[in-house]
Amino acid sequence: MTDAAHPSNEPMRSIDPADSDPQATYYLLNSVVVPRPIAWVSTLAADGTANLAPHSFCTVAGTQPPTLAFTSIGEKHTVANVRATGDFVFHVVDYAITERMNITAANAPADVSEFELAGLEQTASAKVRSPRVVGAPVAMECVLDRIIDVGHSRMVLGTVVQLHIAERLFDERDRVDPGRLDAVARMGGATYATTRDRFDLTRPSYDDLRVDPATAAD
Ligand SMILES: Cc1cc2nc3c(=O)[nH]c(=O)nc-3n(C[C@H](O)[C@H](O)[C@H](O)COP(=O)(O)O)c2cc1C
């Protein structure tokens, strides 16, 4: 594809991570793989301290069984807690709670609960030991499936055993309305994006693509 915005001779910067400072490569990945949803992950430490931390390296990892994944860069408290209890809760962050989410990213000691630090209320989960955040629009209780070592990072996969979704998010067809969810996403650095500017794109079938435009009107 070439056009005015994407000329075929566009100068490209080619970078070999093997020749680069790992931190610089990390910043690059963080800036170009965007926007990323934010998994606001709550866990419980072995001593009973509740923990809460955002992870934008996250995704849906599978559907049958429903599986979520997030990555801890290095082995942080969240991973130690998941190892201890075998579970976590993955919350979705909406615009209204973004600033509180940000507070929970502070590098608090293991015996300090980020729930208290950010003035957040916690409540018991239905099926896992990790508590969930009161006020988060979506909370998904997960049982640890596996932890994958990815170099010095740890990718945590969990099977969703219970979902909690605010009633106000559902439309008349019982689908979650993205406008009501108002999820935020992480861009590079300290920049975030809302999900307020949206558009629809209908996915074509292969047959649609084979229709000759010249005869399509016939
Ligand atoms: C929006 C946002 C996204 C973040 N994403 C990640 C991430 O994907 N992985 C990670 O290790 N740290 C991430 N962090 C930093 C952690 O939240 C931070 O290191 C936190 O203190 C980890 O807490 P813990 O030690 O209790 O696990 C993110 C921070 C913010 C503000």
Side-chain angles (χ1 to χ4, degrees):
M1 178 197 72
T2 58
D3 57 29
H6 310 88
S8 59
N9 61 348
E10 183 170 27
M12 304 292 286
R13 189 177 297 194
S14 289
I15 299 161
D16 183 342
D19 300 333
S20 307
D21 168 32
Q23 195 66 12
T25 305
Y26 161 69
Y27 283 131
L28 282 177
L29 295 180
N30 221 13
S31 306
V32 298
V33 183
V34 290
R36 294 185 304 280
I38 302 168
W40 203 14
V41 179
S42 60
T43 53
L44 196 66
D47 71 356
T49 307
N51 189 288
L52 188 58
H55 295 77
S56 68
F57 289 6
C58 71
T59 192
V60 176
T63 58
Q64 292 184 34
T67 306
L68 299 173
F70 68 91
T71 293
S72 179
I73 304 160
E75 179 135 352
K76 299 181 182 172
H77 299 148
T78 299
V79 177
N81 296 351
V82 172
R83 287 191 199 281
T85 64
D87 63 53
F88 61 91
V89 184
F90 180 127
H91 304 81
V92 173
V93 176
D94 66 14
Y95 185 76
I97 51 175
T98 311
E99 288 189 16
R100 283 177 193 258
M101 173 280 296
N102 194 35
I103 293 171
T104 67
N107 58 339
D111 60 352
V112 171
S113 168
E114 290 83 2
F115 279 91
E116 285 172 29
L117 207 59
L120 288 158
E121 195 183 328
Q122 67 187 60
T123 190
S125 290
K127 295 183 180 161
V128 302
R129 291 176 62 195
S130 300
R132 63 185 176 90
V133 180
V134 174
V138 177
M140 292 171 281
E141 298 181 20
C142 298
V143 170
L144 176 62
D145 170 33
R146 70 195 83 174
I147 297 177
I148 302 171
D149 289 0
V150 185
H152 99 308
S153 297
R154 303 285 175 263
M155 186 176 209
V156 181
L157 276 74
T159 307
V160 181
V161 293
Q162 192 75 43
L163 293 105
H164 306 268
I165 302 175
E167 278 295 345
R168 63 184 167 80
L169 302 186
F170 289 97
D171 65 15
E172 53 292 338
R173 291 189 299 165
D174 263 351
R175 295 187 179 170
V176 171
D177 178 330
R180 297 184 198 179
L181 180 56
D182 201 20
V184 292
R186 177 98 190 262
M187 307 294 287
T191 304
Y192 292 82
T194 67
T195 49
R196 292 176 182 174
D197 184 10
R198 301 184 302 274
F199 60 93
D200 293 339
L201 202 55
T202 306
R203 193 193 315 186
S205 70
Y206 182 58
D207 284 344
D208 293 338
L209 296 174
R210 287 195 309 162
V211 170
D212 180 356
T215 58
D218 291 347

